[in-house]
């Protein structure tokens, strides 16, 4: 069964600290993996997208990695800010023209001052 | 560009009532999607459309209907609401040949 599992479920860190969120997937065939940020009460917004051949992608203080062999991805946030408080969702796409996505349950990050 | 907009933002229904959620996008996107988001679960696809006049079932289509009469609009209907349909509903759209889906702000629905 195609699944995307994220850990931890929730995380609290102090402002300025770094953190890493994990994503494991069992989706096959695999097309790409994206990380979305979802602020409370808002829709998800794309942070990064990686295809099978890419193993790292950065977007400002966000760096995503992908190991297609072990089917694992991570999202590293550097020098966290209060505005990073949100849910981070790992999303995997199989090979499909419809663009159907499989969503993880998300990691809720709270950055405290 | 307004991007993807959803109407209404919040609604309370009684069991058995019907309603329609409206999604509109001004990016000329071919693909549109309706998802529901429940606590502790990832977003789940309800229905989607690959173009004007076409619709298809997603992962959890039961109890919902959709229509795509105009390219910019994607309507989600609940004919007879049930408490299990209490959720946050998100619409998304994607351009032809593009990978990124753009999401609306969501509609929070409570069915009593």
């Amino acid at each position: 069964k195609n699944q995307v599992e994220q850990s931890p479920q929730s995380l609290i860190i102090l402002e300025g600290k770094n953190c890493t969120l994990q994503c494991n997937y069992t989706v096959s065939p695999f097309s790409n993996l994206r990380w979305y940020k979802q602020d409370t009460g808002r829709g998800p917004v794309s942070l990064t997208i990686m295809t099978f051949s890419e193993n790292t992608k950065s977007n400002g203080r966000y760096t995503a990695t992908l190991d297609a062999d072990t089917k694992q991805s991570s999202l590293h946030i550097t020098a966290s800010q209060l505005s990073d408080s949100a849910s981070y969702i790992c999303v995997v796409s199989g090979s499909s023209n419809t663009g159907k996505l499989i969503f993880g349950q998300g990691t809720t990050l709270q950055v405290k001052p | 560009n307004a991007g993807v907009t959803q109407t209404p933002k919040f609604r309370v229904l009684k069991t058995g009532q019907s309603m329609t959620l409206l999604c509109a996008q001004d990016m000329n996107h071919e693909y549109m999607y309706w998802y529901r988001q429940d606590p502790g679960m990832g977003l789940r696809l309800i229905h989607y459309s690959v173009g004007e006049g076409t619709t298809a079932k997603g992962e959890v289509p039961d109890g919902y209907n959709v229509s795509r009469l105009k390219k910019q609009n994607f309507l989600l209907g609940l004919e007879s609401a049930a408490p299990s349909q209490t959720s946050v509903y998100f619409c998304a759209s994607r351009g032809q040949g593009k990978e990124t889906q753009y999401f609306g702000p969501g509609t929070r629905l409570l069915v009593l």
Side-chain angles (χ1 to χ4, degrees):
Chain A
K1 180 180 179 183
N2 289 330
Q3 282 187 315
V4 177
E5 297 288 339
Q6 292 185 243
S7 62
Q9 188 173 355
S10 62
L11 182 63
I12 300 175
I13 62 174
L14 293 176
E15 187 178 11
K17 298 296 185 183
N18 304 335
C19 68
T20 300
L21 314 180
Q22 301 291 345
C23 173
N24 295 338
Y25 62 93
T26 57
V27 178
S28 181
F30 172 86
S31 176
N32 58 65
L33 183 146
R34 325 111 188 267
W35 284 91
Y36 277 85
K37 179 186 180 188
Q38 184 176 20
D39 292 314
T40 301
R42 300 284 195 98
V45 175
S46 180
L47 290 175
T48 64
I49 180 169
M50 291 178 290
T51 61
F52 182 88
S53 59
E54 297 174 297
N55 55 24
T56 187
K57 185 76 69 81
S58 291
N59 179 358
R61 294 179 296 101
Y62 301 102
T63 300
T65 64
L66 173 64
D67 185 334
D69 291 332
T70 61
K71 298 187 177 181
Q72 296 179 326
S73 176
S74 66
L75 180 68
H76 186 74
I77 304 174
T78 304
S80 61
Q81 300 176 358
L82 298 179
S83 59
D84 292 331
S85 295
S87 179
Y88 292 84
I89 305 173
C90 177
V91 186
V92 178
S93 175
S95 297
S96 168
N97 291 331
T98 62
K100 284 191 282 187
L101 306 175
I102 299 166
F103 291 77
Q105 78 276 28
T107 292
T108 300
L109 173 66
Q110 185 177 359
V111 180
K112 289 192 169 182
Chain B
N1 284 356
V4 180
T5 58
Q6 293 183 232
T7 308
K9 288 185 171 56
F10 176 69
R11 183 76 182 268
V12 179
L13 288 179
K14 294 182 180 179
T15 297
Q17 287 185 318
S18 64
M19 78 164 293
T20 300
L21 282 68
L22 170 64
C23 175
Q25 52 92 7
D26 60 1
M27 298 175 281
N28 201 34
H29 284 172
E30 290 292 333
Y31 299 88
M32 297 187 74
Y33 308 84
W34 274 108
Y35 296 93
R36 60 179 289 173
Q37 186 175 40
D38 300 294
M41 302 182 68
L43 276 79
R44 291 181 292 169
L45 182 65
I46 304 172
H47 286 280
Y48 64 98
S49 168
V50 300
E52 180 179 324
T54 72
T55 63
K57 293 181 180 180
E59 182 185 353
V60 288
D62 294 342
Y64 305 95
N65 56 75
V66 288
S67 65
R68 184 104 181 263
L69 299 180
K70 293 182 178 181
K71 186 177 183 180
Q72 63 267 34
N73 296 336
F74 196 27
L75 278 62
L76 178 70
L78 286 75
E79 289 188 352
S80 179
S84 61
Q85 294 178 304
T86 293
S87 187
V88 181
Y89 293 85
F90 287 98
C91 175
S93 70
R94 175 175 74 96
Q96 180 84 26
K98 304 295 184 182
E99 291 291 346
T100 299
Q101 290 189 17
Y102 294 87
F103 285 81
T107 293
R108 189 174 298 272
L109 177 65
L110 175 61
V111 182
L112 301 176

